[in-house]
Amino acid sequence: MAPGGHSRRGPVVHRLPTRPACFQRGERLTKRSFRPRPPFALTLIHISATLLATTSLTLTLWTGLEERGVALAFGVLVAVGELSRWNGTTGLRETAPLGAAGALSYALLGADAGHPTHHGVFQTVAVVVAATLVGCVPHIARGHSRTPDHMARRVLTVGFAAVCFQPLYNQGVFRHWGGPAYALLLLALLSLTALCDAVLAAALAHSRTGWPFGPLLRDELRGMLGIGSAVCATGAVMALAVAVVGLWALPVFSLPLLLTQLSFRRYAAVRDTYRQTIASLARSTEIAGYTPAGHARRVAALCQAVGRDLGLSEPDLTVLEYAALMHDIGQLSLVDPVPAGATAALPAEEQRRIALLGGAVVRQTGVSPQVAAVVERQADPCREQPLSARIVRAVNAYEEKTRAGGPGGPLQALEELRLGTAGDYAPEVVEALARVLCNQEGWREAPRAGRWWVTGGTV
């Protein structure tokens, strides 16, 4: 580089900020075509669950069932719970609460109508595995891809609870515990089991999607306060009730959890309808010819991926999705449509005017004020914007630049966003967008003769 900050080919206006793995010095993005290896955590969880299930089934078949009536009753309960499992897009952390409660209560069962049980750890896991497999047959036949992860979580969490309780109970450690002390013991063990299940769920989601583990675990723990607490409470009550009155307690205490599951389904249906209404409102700009078809949907999907990479919580991701779907709705107030709906190329004042008009429209539709605030502030100066507005602004600009750039549009658009991180776009958002695109589009590094991409030439 020559003195005065000039290269051999011209002045250097910007030096690119620190890049992720797919944008390091001397590298450019190219397409790749290979099948990635399964993540280590995913493989480890599935192998551990398979080994535990196989060992338990083998030993149980070899030695025979203890208390066959009790095993059959809990097996039927778990199978019915799995049959009623819901595979809709509900966002619920536990899709088969009755099956989970039945499995946990069997793992923590110490007596049947006053008579001590001796089923042990391996029989507990074997009964739960067999019943879960029976209940999962319809879901496997429908091709639901989440069934293996669901099975692995069920086997490992039940095995954890049984290991914590059954050996000590069979040795007589807990037989003389009674009243509140015994109930608190069961609740403590169920809380530890729920924490174990949350870690497993977050690890599986991290392995499947590549999203940050910390925010995923936080969302799982937050979800425990809902249906998770009902599952733990029902599991403890079932174990205590069967120990006193026998197996007749199972259908009695299953009914409240079934009603709770039905309520969650109705709530999820309302949420789905609400989202469809917002999506329909967002399509009004496409129907009126102000924006290209599918623009709002593409921006919303990419915004969610970037938000997850940056560690946003589930409620914040919902607000981000709705704001991304409706970010262009202010264009309906324009007399002359913007060519191709590309607002990123407009002057800053015009962008703010359209954003304020969009926020006013969103407020009149009855959508959350948080969504309206994000829509209104998407054109504010970058440093004054909340994170959600920064994401919408950067992703919208990327989508518009990609559409206008032809075959090389994605790479060119990302480079333009990087050169705009000095004031127009947040650097952390552009870095997250680059990481998401590396994962989604299959880009990888390729050597490029030790050059930096810079404005005004290369060095």
Side-chain angles (χ1 to χ4, degrees):
M1 179 177 289
H6 292 72
S7 69
R8 297 189 184 95
R9 300 187 185 181
V12 177
V13 179
H14 294 293
R15 190 176 183 88
L16 294 183
T18 303
R19 299 180 169 197
C22 54
F23 280 95
Q24 296 297 330
R25 185 183 178 193
E27 297 168 347
R28 64 184 176 87
L29 290 178
T30 59
K31 283 287 184 178
R32 66 183 176 191
S33 58
F34 62 90
R35 180 175 297 178
R37 295 180 179 178
F40 174 75
L42 180 67
T43 304
L44 179 62
I45 292 174
H46 283 185
I47 290 178
S48 300
T50 302
L51 289 176
L52 178 58
T54 303
T55 303
S56 300
L57 289 170
T58 302
L59 291 177
T60 302
L61 291 174
W62 181 264
T63 59
L65 284 174
E66 297 282 348
E67 295 96 18
R68 295 187 178 182
V70 177
L72 179 61
F74 277 94
V76 170
L77 178 63
V78 173
V80 171
E82 293 297 333
L83 286 171
S84 64
R85 173 158 63 97
W86 194 24
N87 290 282
T89 56
T90 65
L92 300 180
R93 295 301 183 269
E94 178 55 66
T95 57
L98 182 59
L104 292 176
S105 63
Y106 188 51
L108 301 180
L109 182 66
D112 173 25
H115 302 288
T117 58
H118 306 88
H119 48 278
V121 175
F122 292 114
Q123 178 172 318
T124 300
V125 175
V127 170
V128 171
V129 168
T132 303
L133 286 174
V134 171
C136 284
V137 168
H139 306 290
I140 296 175
R142 297 190 189 105
H144 292 143
S145 59
R146 292 188 298 174
T147 299
D149 289 352
H150 174 78
M151 285 284 300
R153 285 175 55 191
R154 179 73 77 240
V155 170
L156 293 178
T157 52
V158 169
F160 176 82
V163 166
C164 291
F165 180 81
Q166 290 295 331
L168 295 177
Y169 185 87
N170 291 334
Q171 294 175 8
V173 176
F174 301 140
R175 289 186 182 179
H176 301 292
W177 289 38
Y182 188 71
L184 291 175
L185 170 68
L186 295 186
L187 288 176
L189 292 178
L190 285 170
S191 299
L192 290 176
T193 304
L195 179 61
C196 173
D197 183 62
V199 172
L200 288 175
L204 288 169
H206 173 70
S207 299
R208 292 287 188 188
T209 63
W211 298 332
F213 177 78
L216 289 172
L217 179 59
R218 179 189 60 201
D219 290 333
E220 292 293 337
L221 294 176
R222 183 183 291 113
M224 288 170 52
L225 300 177
I227 193 68
S229 59
V231 169
C232 290
T234 304
V237 170
M238 281 183 177
L240 292 172
V242 170
V244 177
V245 302
L247 298 175
W248 289 106
L250 293 181
V252 174
F253 290 100
S254 298
L255 183 59
L257 195 58
L258 283 174
L259 295 177
T260 302
Q261 184 177 358
L262 179 61
S263 299
F264 270 95
R265 289 191 179 190
R266 291 182 176 178
Y267 169 73
V270 171
R271 283 189 58 183
D272 289 343
T273 303
Y274 184 70
R275 185 188 179 283
Q276 291 171 5
T277 302
I278 291 178
S280 299
L281 288 172
R283 289 191 65 243
S284 60
T285 57
E286 302 174 10
I287 296 174
Y290 284 87
T291 57
H295 170 71
R297 176 178 50 81
R298 292 190 295 270
V299 171
L302 196 50
C303 279
Q304 280 197 301
V306 173
R308 286 194 179 277
D309 185 88
L310 292 173
L312 294 184
S313 63
E314 287 289 346
D316 292 335
L317 286 172
T318 301
V319 172
L320 177 62
E321 179 191 13
Y322 294 166
L325 285 171
M326 306 182 73
H327 74 280
D328 271 333
I329 203 168
Q331 295 194 43
L332 294 175
S333 302
L334 300 178
V335 177
D336 298 322
V338 179
T343 57
L346 295 177
E349 291 300 326
E350 184 65 14
Q351 291 185 38
R352 291 194 188 96
R353 187 177 75 87
I354 295 175
L356 291 174
L357 291 172
V361 173
V362 173
R363 293 183 188 278
Q364 293 178 2
T365 61
V367 181
S368 170
Q370 294 177 307
V371 177
V374 174
V375 173
E376 289 173 343
R377 302 191 62 183
Q378 61 177 312
D380 287 357
C382 178
R383 301 193 177 198
E384 301 176 8
Q385 291 176 311
L387 180 57
S388 297
R390 294 180 181 183
I391 294 173
V392 173
R393 178 173 184 168
V395 172
N396 176 62
Y398 168 80
E399 214 280 332
E400 292 178 356
K401 294 176 184 294
T402 298
R403 189 173 62 248
L411 303 184
Q412 181 180 352
L414 201 51
E415 289 296 333
E416 292 180 8
L417 290 183
R418 286 184 170 280
L419 295 174
T421 54
D424 293 333
Y425 308 106
E428 70 276 9
V429 174
V430 178
E431 295 299 317
L433 177 60
R435 289 192 295 269
V436 168
L437 293 172
C438 282
N439 293 329
Q440 289 185 353
E441 301 296 336
W443 292 340
R444 67 177 175 86
E445 307 86 13
R448 189 171 174 79
R451 295 176 178 176
W452 287 90
W453 290 97
V454 292
T455 303
T458 56
V459 292

